[in-house]
Amino acid sequence: MLKKLIVIEDDEEFQCDNIRELVKKLVDKNYYNYTDEEKYNKLNMLALANSLGNEDKFLTRNEITYILSLLMANKIVLLENKNADIFTKYIDKSNIKNNYIIVNKFAKEILQKYMSK
């Protein structure tokens, strides 16, 4: 059975059921044990590495903004089950027929709504 989130990075794929699992895979398995300063430094280091040779800007306010920045830069592809309401809770899904949504298509809209809350 497929999980709520499916990530495709290069030729590899992994699945997660929540944000915590996703962050542990994309950022650091010990991320939630870090101090706020260590979290900030880790996100900034990863953002710098991902922006080399790329003009995309990475927002590193927290792990959510970092992941959305990855999506906007197309560094990874994120599929979310339509009913999961993890990232896609910020978009109108009434016209979406598929079971999974390509979150990258809505990353900018999601980021804007997330930041305004």
Side-chain angles (χ1 to χ4, degrees):
M1 183 172 170
L2 296 174
K3 295 192 176 193
K4 293 177 182 177
L5 299 168
I6 301 172
V7 176
I8 302 166
E9 185 175 20
D10 297 324
D11 291 333
E12 296 185 31
E13 174 188 310
F14 62 89
Q15 298 181 28
C16 304
D17 270 325
N18 55 52
I19 289 284
R20 239 179 133 77
E21 289 178 28
L22 182 64
V23 169
K24 287 180 178 183
K25 291 274 196 180
L26 292 176
V27 179
D28 190 302
K29 65 181 179 181
N30 296 311
Y31 182 80
Y32 291 104
N33 298 325
Y34 291 165
T35 66
D36 287 343
E37 183 178 352
E38 289 170 326
K39 288 177 181 178
Y40 177 79
N41 290 336
K42 181 68 174 185
L43 292 175
N44 280 323
M45 180 186 70
L46 291 171
L48 179 62
N50 278 301
S51 63
L52 291 175
N54 192 339
E55 295 195 11
D56 294 310
K57 294 183 180 170
F58 280 75
L59 187 57
T60 57
R61 176 183 266 183
N62 59 34
E63 60 273 23
I64 304 299
T65 61
Y66 171 73
I67 291 170
L68 289 169
S69 295
L70 281 175
L71 299 179
M72 289 188 298
N74 287 313
K75 294 289 186 176
I76 62 171
V77 175
L78 178 64
L79 305 173
E80 181 177 324
N81 184 288
K82 182 179 177 180
N83 298 320
D85 276 342
I86 298 171
F87 288 98
T88 59
K89 65 184 171 189
Y90 297 101
I91 63 170
D92 176 17
K93 298 181 273 187
S94 59
N95 292 328
I96 296 175
K97 306 286 187 246
N98 298 326
N99 289 335
Y100 278 84
I101 298 167
I102 301 172
V103 182
N104 298 56
K105 292 180 181 180
F106 303 97
K108 189 173 184 175
E109 176 185 351
I110 293 168
L111 180 61
Q112 289 170 342
K113 289 180 180 176
Y114 176 80
M115 294 297 292
S116 69
K117 72 167 181 88

